[in-house]
């Protein structure tokens, strides 16, 4: 009980409810008390009037009535002055005054009474309640009318005492009822609400532990439903706080590990990535190549551009660097003009150098900045290769910094390696690239021609044309394999001027033979993938033909199937434009790419060339023979010439001849020869025959 009382005493809600209940019941009881007090007052006045009437009537009944007025007045005087009767006045039946006794008796009948026949029992009280006037028609002899004035002030005192007595009783009843109501209300409503209040305050102070402050309840009523809903809300609050904290932590981690300007991971994130690669559980642990990328003289650029355009340049540079990277690469912005790309896994020197060249090429192209026109940037790359668990991120980054420093210091060096082995490979590659740039002007590059012969049904062959191939005679290295320098030219973009060199060399030779012998075989030149996508390819071919005055039918171009399939719609337009010039077009390496009849129909080429890999296995692999036969039938059904490459023995030639292959080239018929030797063997011999 003391605990309950303490709870009730400390509960402001309980006090408010108690006072409200008490006031309400008290108001109801008060409303009921008013009629009771009025009834008490009325009864007391009626009792006072009745006593006066009895006293006066008894006097009148004992006398002789109105006949002896003197005796009547004497008898009435004995009654007046006692029992609260102040005065008595008697009136005859005709309404005239008969007799009176006491102080200040009435001198006339009450207002509104004309004759005694109209007389009725009347009680009137003065406004201050001190006097009561009673009038009635007596039954005594002579039937007089009586008007008595009575002292009634004591009735008000009795009424007050009655009211106080009843009010006290009502108050006791109200208190008892209120207390009982509060006990029931506390048990069923207030106590759960108090526990709910306490829980809510605790949960608000420590929302992370909100579920610990749940209010258990097995009740099935509305309070029970409320508590269960509240407990569920606490669970959701805790879960929401947990999610908010995780989001905030993730946001904080993102902000601490990302550059705000570019949105790329920052130095801390890069170091974490590099260190994770060292963990033994990681597949290929420790094998990572780091490329540290620097925009040369960015401070001067930024000063000239202004902060806003300088920031825009960095954002665009970051996007280009991301495009240059591949899925799985980690691209970061280390601040100001420094970026980094980390590539996991083994990476040889050539592959690393090729990727560095891609970075330089794709990030250094012209930028269109508002208010600044077109501008290009110079890029330097430092490359470091981590192997094993002993090299942490800071050390690897330091090695890349050293390599970048050397790249910045050496004139004409766009990238440098820290690893001696990779550096040696890269130096060789860079040396070849520089030598290849020089070779065009130094005359070290020269074309060779390989004859292409038609396969006659009777077994005879005759020259049908030639394919121009490129060779490089290095002054120190000697002959450099095309398999070594052609990929370099492709990767660095040198393939475009190299291709132009071959095109003009072929046209120049055709013109020379026409002038010297009056005829010339057609010569086919290979278009690289980069050349094939040049927007002005048609104009370049037209210019070469016009400059050397070469009949268009004597020039053929070969496009690899893979290059043609990169963008089918554009390739179809380009091939159609070339054929509109009159240039014959062949699809090289057919069968090794993404061939389909629909594409071949759209391209509408003049010839398709069976790749050497299929021809090599004729007589040894029936699947290769089946592919060759299928390509031959395909070409024949489409009315397209079919040329076989790499024919090296009679068995291959016989197989192709039996299946009506149109033309063939390979070592069986002739190796690629320098122009002078090709002219002696194939051109001059025919001219003198």
């Amino acid at each position: 009980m003391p605990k309950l009382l303490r709870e009730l005493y400390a509960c402001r809600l309980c006090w408010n409810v108690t006072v409200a209940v008490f006031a309400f019941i008290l108001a109801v009881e008060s409303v009921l008390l008013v009629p009771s007090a009025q009834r008490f007052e009325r009864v007391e006045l009626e009792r006072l009037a009745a006593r006066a009437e009895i006293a006066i009537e008894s006097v009148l009944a004992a006398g002789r009535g109105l006949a002896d007025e003197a005796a009547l007045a004497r008898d009435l005087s004995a009654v007046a002055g006692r029992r609260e009767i102040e005065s008595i006045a008697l009136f005859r039946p005709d309404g005239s005054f008969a007799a009176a006794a006491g102080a200040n008796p009435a001198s006339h009948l009450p207002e509104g009474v004309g004759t005694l026949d109209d007389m009725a029992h009347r009680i009137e009280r003065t406004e201050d309640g001190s006097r009561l006037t009673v009038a009635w028609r007596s039954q005594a002899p002579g039937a007089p009318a009586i008007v008595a004035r009575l002292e009634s002030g004591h009735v008000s005192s009795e009424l007050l005492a009655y009211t106080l007595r009843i009010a006290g009783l009502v108050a006791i009843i109200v208190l008892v009822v209120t207390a009982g109501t509060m006990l029931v209300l506390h048990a069923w409503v207030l106590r759960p609400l108090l526990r709910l209040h306490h829980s809510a305050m605790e949960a608000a102070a420590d929302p992370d532990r909100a579920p610990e402050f749940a209010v258990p309840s097995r009740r099935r009523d509305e309070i029970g439903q409320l508590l269960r809903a509240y407990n569920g809300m606490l669970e959701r609050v805790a879960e929401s706080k947990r999610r908010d904290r995780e989001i905030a932590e993730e946001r904080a981690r993102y902000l601490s590990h990302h550059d705000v300007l570019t949105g790329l991971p920052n130095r801390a994130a890069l170091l974490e990535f590099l260190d994770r690669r060292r963990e033994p559980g990681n597949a290929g642990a420790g094998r990572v190549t780091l490329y540290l990328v620097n925009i040369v003289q960015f401070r001067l650029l930024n000063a000239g551009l202004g902060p806003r355009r300088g920031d825009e340049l960095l954002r665009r540079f970051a996007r280009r660097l991301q495009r240059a990277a591949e899925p799985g690469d980690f691209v970061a912005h280390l601040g100001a003009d420094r970026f980094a790309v980390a590539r996991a896994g083994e990476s040889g020197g050539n592959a690393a150098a090729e990727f560095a060249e891609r970075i330089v090429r794709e990030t250094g192209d012209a930028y269109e900045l508002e208010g600044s026109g077109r501008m290009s940037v110079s890029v330097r790359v430092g490359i470091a290769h981590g192997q094993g668990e002993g090299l942490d991120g800071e050390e690897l980054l330091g090695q890349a910094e050293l390599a970048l420093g050397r790249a910045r210091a050496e004139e004409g060096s766009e990238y440098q390696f820290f690893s001696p082995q990779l550096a040696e490979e890269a130096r060789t590659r860079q040396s070849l690239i520089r030598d290849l740039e020089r070779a065009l002007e130094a005359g070290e590059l020269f074309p060779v021609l390989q004859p292409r012969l038609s396969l006659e049904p009777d077994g005879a062959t005759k020259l049908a044309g030639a394919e121009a191939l490129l060779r490089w005679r290095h002054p120190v290295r000697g002959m450099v394999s095309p398999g070594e320098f052609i990929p370099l030219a492709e990767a660095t973009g040198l393939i475009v001027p190299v291709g132009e060199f071959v095109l003009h060399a072929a046209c120049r030779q055709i013109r020379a033979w026409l002038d010297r012998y009056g005829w010339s075989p057609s010569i086919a030149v290979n278009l690289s993938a980069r050349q094939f996508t040049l927007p002005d390819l048609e104009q370049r071919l037209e210019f070469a033909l016009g400059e050397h005055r070469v009949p268009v039918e004597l020039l053929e171009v070969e496009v690899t199937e893979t290059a043609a399939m990169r963008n089918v719609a554009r390739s179809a337009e380009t091939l159609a434009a070339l054929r509109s010039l009159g240039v014959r077009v062949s699809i090289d390496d057919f069968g090794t790419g993404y061939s389909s009849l629909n594409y071949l129909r759209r391209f509408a080429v003049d010839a398709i060339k069976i790749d050497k890999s299929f021809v090599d296995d004729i007589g040894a692999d029936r699947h290769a023979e089946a592919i060759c036969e299928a390509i031959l039938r395909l070409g024949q059904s489409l009315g397209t010439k079919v040329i076989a490459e790499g024919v090296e023995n009679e068995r291959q030639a016989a197989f192709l001849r039996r299946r009506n292959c149109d033309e063939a080239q390979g070592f069986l018929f002739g190796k690629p020869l320098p122009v002078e030797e090709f002219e002696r063997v194939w051109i001059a011999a025919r001219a003198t025959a």
Side-chain angles (χ1 to χ4, degrees):
M1 184 63 71
K3 180 180 178 181
L4 173 60
L5 294 176
R6 285 196 301 271
E7 287 182 353
L8 291 174
Y9 179 78
C11 176
R12 284 180 294 177
L13 175 63
C14 299
W15 277 105
N16 292 337
V17 173
T18 301
V19 171
V21 171
F22 179 82
F24 176 75
I25 298 176
L26 186 60
V28 172
E29 292 293 340
S30 298
V31 171
L32 297 177
L33 180 60
V34 171
S36 176
Q38 291 175 342
R39 185 169 57 255
F40 174 83
E41 183 182 29
R42 186 173 60 253
V43 169
E44 287 300 315
L45 292 174
E46 289 176 352
R47 185 178 296 135
L48 176 62
R51 287 200 304 269
E53 290 178 16
I54 292 171
I56 295 171
E57 287 288 348
S58 63
V59 171
L60 293 177
R64 289 176 291 180
L66 297 176
D68 188 355
E69 293 182 1
L72 181 59
R74 187 176 57 254
D75 293 340
L76 290 176
S77 296
V79 176
R82 62 186 180 85
R83 293 193 179 183
E84 299 93 15
I85 300 175
E86 290 184 353
S87 66
I88 304 171
L90 298 181
F91 297 88
R92 296 183 183 88
D94 60 0
S96 62
F97 180 80
N104 194 24
S107 60
H108 53 80
L109 290 173
E111 294 182 5
V113 179
T115 64
L116 292 185
D117 293 336
D118 299 329
M119 189 71 172
H121 191 279
R122 299 180 67 173
I123 298 177
E124 294 181 358
R125 195 180 187 189
T126 60
E127 291 184 1
D128 59 1
S130 61
R131 286 178 178 79
L132 183 69
T133 301
V134 182
W136 73 94
R137 180 80 176 269
S138 176
Q139 300 299 321
I146 305 169
V147 177
R149 290 179 176 174
L150 311 177
E151 173 64 41
S152 63
H154 66 283
V155 175
S156 297
S157 300
E158 292 175 359
L159 176 61
L160 178 60
Y162 172 80
T163 301
L164 292 176
R165 186 170 60 254
I166 296 302
L169 181 60
V170 167
I172 293 173
I173 295 173
V174 169
L175 287 174
V176 172
V177 172
T178 301
T181 303
M182 286 304 303
L183 289 174
V184 175
L185 191 62
H186 179 268
W188 287 92
V189 178
L190 295 180
R191 178 178 291 175
L193 290 181
L194 288 175
R195 296 173 66 186
L196 184 63
H197 169 264
H198 177 74
S199 171
M201 297 299 291
E202 294 287 340
D206 191 1
D208 292 334
R209 297 172 52 217
E212 299 179 16
F213 307 115
V215 183
S217 175
R218 296 181 180 179
R219 294 170 57 171
R220 298 179 180 272
D221 57 10
E222 289 81 358
I223 295 293
Q225 294 173 354
L226 172 63
L227 294 180
R228 285 190 290 275
Y230 170 78
N231 293 338
M233 183 188 68
L234 292 184
E235 291 286 348
R236 290 191 292 275
V237 166
E239 180 61 27
S240 176
K241 289 290 294 182
R242 198 157 40 245
R243 286 198 304 270
D244 290 346
R245 185 169 54 253
E246 290 173 355
I247 291 172
E249 290 173 354
E250 184 61 30
R251 178 63 177 167
R253 175 177 173 78
Y254 179 87
L255 292 176
S256 66
H257 285 69
H258 283 76
D259 170 57
V260 177
L261 177 63
T262 62
L264 292 176
N266 59 16
R267 179 188 178 93
L270 173 66
L271 292 176
E272 281 191 10
F273 173 81
L274 295 176
D275 288 339
R276 281 199 304 271
R277 296 300 307 171
R278 300 173 60 219
E279 297 174 3
N282 248 327
R287 296 195 297 271
V288 62
T289 302
L290 179 63
Y291 301 79
L292 191 59
V293 185
N294 169 243
I295 303 175
V296 178
Q297 295 185 336
F298 176 74
R299 290 184 180 180
L300 294 177
L301 287 173
N302 194 45
L305 293 171
R308 183 175 61 84
R309 286 192 289 268
D311 289 348
E312 179 61 24
L313 175 61
L314 287 176
R315 282 191 287 267
R316 294 193 186 185
F317 186 92
R319 288 196 292 270
R320 290 193 183 184
L321 186 60
Q322 285 179 296
R323 287 196 296 267
E326 297 179 354
D329 293 349
F330 192 93
V331 183
H333 183 206
L334 307 187
D337 56 357
R338 295 292 177 92
F339 292 80
V341 181
R343 312 191 79 194
E346 294 282 4
S347 180
N350 282 332
E354 183 177 346
F355 182 69
E357 290 160 4
R358 187 196 311 172
I359 291 175
V360 172
R361 183 173 63 251
E362 297 193 13
T363 60
D365 287 344
Y367 291 81
E368 289 278 358
L369 296 177
E370 182 182 354
S372 300
R374 292 174 62 87
M375 60 171 297
S376 298
V377 298
S378 297
V379 179
R380 298 292 181 267
V381 183
I383 308 171
H385 184 66
Q387 179 68 42
E389 301 176 17
L391 191 64
D392 63 19
E394 288 284 3
E395 293 172 326
L396 188 62
L397 187 57
Q399 291 183 356
E401 287 278 4
L402 292 174
L404 178 61
R406 287 203 301 271
R408 289 166 59 91
E410 292 186 11
E411 186 70 26
S413 176
E414 293 180 329
Y415 56 89
Q416 282 290 341
F417 283 85
F418 178 83
S419 168
Q421 178 182 357
L422 295 179
E424 181 60 32
E425 294 180 7
R427 277 195 294 272
T428 301
R429 178 186 178 89
Q430 288 181 303
S431 175
L432 276 176
I433 292 173
R434 288 193 295 270
D435 290 349
L436 184 58
E437 292 174 345
R438 178 184 49 78
L440 282 170
E441 298 179 0
E444 297 171 11
L445 298 177
F446 61 93
V448 295
L449 300 174
Q450 184 173 24
R452 190 178 71 244
L453 284 77
S454 62
L455 299 178
E456 303 297 331
D458 58 0
T461 58
K462 66 178 181 178
L463 183 66
E467 180 179 0
L469 303 171
L470 189 64
R471 295 293 183 265
W472 181 11
R473 184 182 293 107
H474 193 279
V476 177
R477 301 172 184 270
M479 295 300 297
V480 181
S481 167
E484 188 174 359
F485 73 84
I486 292 297
L488 276 180
E490 287 275 9
T492 59
L494 286 173
I495 194 67
V496 174
V498 167
E500 287 281 306
F501 169 78
V502 175
L503 172 63
H504 282 269
C507 290
R508 188 180 302 108
Q509 192 58 56
I510 292 173
R511 182 72 260 163
W513 285 337
L514 288 175
D515 291 342
R516 189 175 302 130
Y517 301 107
W519 78 281
S520 172
S522 62
I523 297 180
V525 296
N526 292 285
L527 294 180
S528 68
R530 190 181 292 264
Q531 278 181 287
F532 188 62
T533 58
L534 290 174
D536 59 345
L537 175 62
E538 181 182 356
Q539 289 77 12
R540 289 171 182 259
L541 291 175
E542 193 171 12
F543 175 77
L545 291 168
E547 183 181 26
H548 301 288
R549 298 178 292 111
V550 172
V552 68
E553 66 272 9
L554 295 181
L555 180 67
E556 300 179 21
V557 294
E558 296 183 2
V559 182
T560 63
E561 182 183 9
T562 302
M565 295 301 167
R566 287 183 179 178
N567 188 328
V568 174
R570 184 174 177 180
S571 296
E573 294 176 1
T574 302
L575 293 173
L578 296 182
R579 295 193 74 206
S580 68
L581 286 177
V583 175
R584 286 183 287 179
V585 180
S586 301
I587 295 294
D588 199 7
D589 302 336
F590 190 80
T592 61
Y594 313 96
S595 310
S596 81
L597 295 176
N598 183 49
Y599 290 160
L600 194 60
R601 177 184 61 81
R602 291 182 63 183
F603 290 160
V605 295
D606 296 286
I608 54 178
K609 300 184 75 172
I610 304 175
D611 187 70
K612 182 179 184 299
S613 61
F614 300 121
V615 176
D616 284 345
D617 292 332
I618 290 177
D621 185 349
R622 59 185 182 85
H623 296 100
E625 293 179 356
I627 292 174
C628 290
E629 188 168 356
I631 295 174
L632 287 164
R633 290 180 179 177
L634 174 63
Q636 292 161 6
S637 63
L638 293 175
T640 302
K641 185 190 299 183
V642 180
I643 304 170
E645 293 183 298
V647 180
E648 297 182 356
N649 56 59
E650 287 293 348
R651 181 174 55 189
Q652 296 168 348
F655 175 90
L656 294 168
R657 188 177 286 108
R658 286 196 304 271
R659 287 158 179 78
N660 300 318
C661 180
D662 297 296
E663 297 177 6
Q665 66 183 79
F667 286 180
L668 176 64
F669 306 111
K671 296 181 180 182
L673 300 173
V675 173
E676 296 78 6
E677 189 173 350
F678 185 91
E679 180 179 343
R680 180 176 56 79
V681 173
W682 295 99
I683 306 300
R686 173 176 170 176
T688 58

